Amino acid sequence: MANNDAINLMIEGQESVTWPQWVALAEAAEYAGLQGLFRSDHYASVQGRTERSALDAWSTLAALAALTDTIQLGTMVSPASFRHPSVLAKQVVVADHVSGGRVELGFGAGWNELEHTMYGFDFADLGTRYDVMAEQIEIIRRQWTEESVDFDGAHYTLAGCEARPKPLGHVPIIMGGQAQPRGAALAARWADEYNTTFPSTDAVRERKARLDAACEEAGRDPLPMSIMTGCILGETEADVHARAERIMAWSNADGSAEEWLAGLRHEWVVGTVEQAQARLEEYREAGISRFFLQHQLHDETDMVALMGQLN
């Protein structure tokens, strides 16, 4: 069993991941020695496949917390548009207590308009969504760390909120995006880590430079940067192609597996374990210290075991 302190399994839970599959994936991640299991927080398929199902993210994580012992658990990311900040803060604390302090909160503004329309969530313009997120992240952090919280904002008002229990320790908050000015400044104020998705190594360097500048302006040391990206591993190239064909069929992608993979190799982690290790090293040299590798074949755990061989 490996001891991999930078590799996390990332699962798109809104694409019909069942409870038995969640249990099997969590067990596989723990056995493989991965750092954690993280999941998206969506109520509907991001591929527009409305026939697919989604279990609620924080309910799932709290349940998995009771069944696991070592892996970190969290979201990538919970949208501010789904829940009142007091509700989200409380849900995270529940999972934190059940897990013995193994929870992290990935947090964002929300972007998928379809699920907001389907479920009746407000979907404001981007500027307003950022305003809401800024108020929420302050409320959440303060509820976790202050004895009593008063807050009078444009979107939320709290009066003498004595939120108990507190988390067992410091709950890391992960924010992310492309390190554009407003998002980078907000992360520099409140986050413990910054995550960017599906980047090339050149994009990593550009985004990290902007994030570092925002941290310097805020008077903070640079935040660690992580990536979330797709991952297809195999013991052989034939295994990689076979998994690629399954993912293509599941996502209705056109073309051959070879052509499809060729278009992904500059921003995904694809190949044998040795090839993937070399790819991760390229990201590390660009400034990445942590990886969230997206596994789209939810009914199999063999690739999770291969993730445990990455270092």
Side-chain angles (χ1 to χ4, degrees):
M1 183 166 62
N3 181 15
N4 207 316
D5 60 2
I7 307 298
N8 294 269
L9 175 62
M10 173 66 198
I11 298 295
E12 295 293 329
Q14 73 283 346
E15 309 298 339
S16 292
V17 184
T18 66
W19 174 244
Q21 287 172 346
W22 278 117
V23 174
L25 289 164
E27 290 175 346
E30 198 149 73
Y31 186 77
L34 298 185
Q35 183 182 51
L37 167 61
F38 285 71
R39 62 155 296 165
S40 55
D41 190 352
H42 288 290
Y43 278 5
S45 168
V46 298
Q47 298 183 354
R49 299 284 294 274
T50 55
E51 76 277 10
R52 291 180 178 170
S53 61
L55 295 174
D56 175 75
W58 282 103
S59 300
T60 303
L61 292 172
L64 290 174
L67 301 178
T68 56
D69 297 306
T70 61
I71 52 174
Q72 294 292 109
L73 299 164
T75 50
M76 293 292 290
V77 296
S78 290
S81 49
F82 277 11
R83 305 169 183 91
H84 189 285
S86 296
V87 173
L88 179 56
K90 186 71 72 173
Q91 289 178 314
V92 176
V93 167
V94 170
D96 181 67
H97 279 245
V98 175
S99 70
R102 293 183 283 116
V103 163
E104 303 180 47
L105 170 62
F107 193 65
W111 63 270
N112 186 11
E113 186 172 3
L114 172 63
E115 64 190 347
H116 289 77
T117 301
M118 287 176 59
Y119 282 88
F121 299 126
D122 290 338
F123 190 75
D125 61 89
L126 182 59
T128 301
R129 297 203 307 276
Y130 264 89
D131 292 341
V132 169
M133 180 174 67
E135 290 192 13
Q136 285 210 12
I137 199 68
E138 178 176 350
I139 289 167
I140 290 168
R141 182 59 87 194
R142 290 180 62 194
Q143 284 191 356
W144 289 347
T145 57
E146 298 179 12
E147 286 302 308
S148 180
V149 178
D150 293 298
F151 187 90
D152 186 12
H155 301 280
Y156 303 100
T157 300
L158 282 71
C161 178
E162 300 180 15
R164 298 189 182 92
K166 302 299 184 189
L168 296 177
H170 178 79
V171 175
I173 293 178
I174 306 168
M175 301 181 73
Q178 297 185 10
Q180 296 301 329
R182 189 172 185 188
L186 196 60
R189 182 178 181 188
W190 295 110
D192 299 281
E193 179 180 322
Y194 194 86
N195 183 269
T196 195
T197 59
F198 301 97
S200 65
T201 51
D202 286 342
V204 166
R205 292 184 179 93
E206 293 169 0
R207 295 170 193 179
K208 190 174 190 310
R210 293 196 294 267
L211 178 66
D212 289 352
C215 290
E216 183 177 5
E217 186 173 346
R220 291 188 66 181
D221 291 337
L223 288 176
M225 179 176 271
S226 59
I227 63 169
M228 184 187 81
T229 194
C231 182
I232 306 176
L233 302 178
E235 293 187 7
T236 65
E237 284 285 353
D239 292 339
V240 174
H241 280 239
R243 286 197 172 97
E245 288 173 350
R246 285 193 61 202
I247 295 171
M248 290 177 69
W250 173 77
S251 59
N252 293 327
D254 296 323
S256 70
E258 290 182 359
E259 294 171 337
W260 188 68
L261 287 170
L264 298 177
R265 289 184 187 271
H266 73 293
E267 58 184 29
W268 281 36
V269 176
V270 174
T272 63
V273 170
E274 293 76 14
Q275 291 168 336
Q277 286 172 332
R279 181 63 173 153
L280 295 183
E281 188 57 34
E282 292 175 359
Y283 278 122
R284 289 189 181 100
E285 291 175 358
I288 297 302
S289 56
R290 194 181 190 198
F291 302 93
F292 298 83
L293 300 182
Q294 191 182 75
H295 176 40
Q296 297 183 356
L297 300 177
H298 309 132
D299 60 346
E300 66 124 275
T301 58
D302 290 348
M303 199 181 91
V304 180
L306 293 178
M307 286 183 183
Q309 298 179 31
L310 300 175
N311 51 45

